[in-house]
Amino acid sequence: MILRARSHGGRETTSPVRPRAMGSMEPSVAALERRVRGCLWDFGFELSPLKVGWYNAVLQPSFHLRYAEDTLAFVVLSAPSMFDKAFKPFVNKQLLKKINDPVDQCVSYHLSLVKESLPDQRVDIIYDYEILPNRKPKFLAQTAAHVAGAAYYYQRKDVRCDPWGEKKIYGVCIHPRYGGWFAIRGLLIFPDVQVPFLEQVAPIDCVASEEKRIELLEKFNFHWRDWSYRDIVEVKERYSEEQKAYFGAPPAERFKLLELQGAVQRSAFY
């Protein structure tokens, strides 16, 4: 069974990806990427380009995205700074409105702004939490991040001497700068933009040793609540204590936690 995934708790399985060197984009596509990045960067979101064909090539047909193989897409990640730069200002504005999941609504808001800023482009957005009627995810977030070169998706197959026997072991993405302190939020797809010239970049293998990979998968599968798997590599930025308290709380308590702590500050952003 394959489940949808976020880097802070998601689980998937895929086939291996063959790495290549990254090539330069055509000017028009490079300009498009700058426009998309410009909408998101200041709010703690990062993106990596990929071709739909790279994603489909490592998955079973039932999980394929129904676009031409050379179709341009971007995986969208949230860095730790997203909490202060995007999420708290968003909740501040939406405080008195009915919000099912504040983080998901915040991500949806910002990716919708990207779409609105590109009226000359057709943009399809798939969020990491969306599922099909058959309960399968609309896209496998960790697989997309791996084939886009954004984060390395460590799985059981990456361990040569498997110590787990019959146990079910799920994989997890690790970012070279953030370790596990990030999340994969969505996929932006441009159906009318074909990029046959785009070359694939391999994700950085930052957990290279057998011992560390075993430690990572042990911590993620059996001790994920203590956050320790996220620090499997030396990180440049991690979640604040406030952010850890928010994501560590039961979903029903999170919005109340923001109100009680007075965490949301007025922002000139709005």
Side-chain angles (χ1 to χ4, degrees):
M1 182 176 180
I2 302 179
L3 306 178
R4 74 175 176 89
R6 298 184 186 187
S7 61
H8 50 72
R11 300 162 176 182
E12 303 168 7
T13 57
T14 69
S15 303
V17 60
R18 180 177 299 171
R20 301 184 203 167
M22 186 68 174
S24 59
M25 287 187 173
E26 286 187 353
S28 60
V29 178
L32 175 61
E33 181 179 15
R34 285 194 297 271
R35 290 174 67 184
V36 176
R37 197 178 300 277
C39 292
L40 297 172
W41 181 262
D42 288 344
F43 302 105
F45 295 101
E46 300 181 6
L47 66 152
S48 298
L50 70 149
K51 293 198 293 187
V52 166
W54 302 346
Y55 174 87
N56 288 347
V58 299
L59 292 170
Q60 300 172 2
S62 60
F63 289 99
H64 285 185
L65 297 172
R66 308 303 177 187
Y67 299 90
E69 290 200 352
D70 287 335
T71 300
L72 176 66
F74 294 99
V75 173
V76 179
L77 310 180
S78 62
S81 62
M82 186 276 288
F83 193 79
D84 286 320
K85 291 181 175 180
F87 178 59
K88 293 201 300 187
F90 173 81
V91 175
N92 183 55
K93 185 179 181 182
Q94 301 292 328
L95 197 57
L96 299 179
K97 296 183 179 181
K98 188 174 182 180
I99 300 177
N100 294 325
D101 185 298
V103 172
D104 287 345
Q105 293 295 320
C106 172
V107 172
S108 175
Y109 171 79
H110 281 281
L111 295 193
S112 295
L113 288 182
V114 173
K115 188 171 184 176
E116 290 175 13
S117 74
L118 299 168
D120 55 332
Q121 293 286 348
R122 178 183 163 198
V123 186
D124 292 344
I125 305 174
I126 309 178
Y127 297 100
D128 71 300
Y129 53 82
E130 290 187 287
I131 58 174
L132 297 166
N134 61 8
R135 307 302 297 172
K136 287 184 179 181
K138 286 192 174 182
F139 88 109
L140 301 183
Q142 297 196 113
T143 299
H146 186 94
V147 300
Y152 200 106
Y153 182 26
Y154 292 96
Q155 303 173 73
R156 187 172 191 164
K157 66 179 181 60
D158 295 311
V159 174
R160 293 186 298 275
C161 300
D162 189 322
W164 297 293
E166 299 299 316
K167 292 180 181 178
K168 185 75 171 179
I169 300 296
Y170 295 99
V172 61
C173 272
I174 296 296
H175 192 281
R177 288 173 52 225
Y178 307 129
W181 302 100
F182 77 106
I184 305 159
R185 298 297 183 182
L187 197 63
L188 297 171
I189 303 172
F190 292 79
D192 300 328
V193 181
Q194 300 299 298
V195 286
F197 46 83
L198 189 63
E199 295 183 12
Q200 191 169 8
V201 60
I204 296 174
D205 182 2
C206 50
V207 188
S209 74
E210 176 90 349
E211 180 182 10
K212 277 292 186 181
R213 291 181 180 186
I214 291 174
E215 181 185 350
L216 169 63
L217 294 177
E218 286 274 347
K219 287 182 173 182
F220 178 67
N221 280 270
F222 308 120
H223 308 287
W224 61 271
R225 291 184 183 275
D226 68 9
W227 309 89
S228 61
Y229 81 88
R230 300 173 187 265
D231 285 316
I232 195 68
V233 297
E234 185 176 348
V235 300
K236 304 297 184 184
E237 185 181 347
R238 60 169 53 86
Y239 290 178
S240 65
E241 290 303 313
E242 177 188 16
Q243 190 170 176
K244 288 167 66 177
Y246 178 82
F247 286 119
E253 299 297 319
R254 291 176 180 176
F255 195 59
K256 184 186 299 184
L257 182 64
L258 284 174
E259 291 181 282
L260 292 175
Q261 290 185 341
V264 181
Q265 302 295 324
R266 291 287 169 187
S267 171
F269 157 53
Y270 289 108

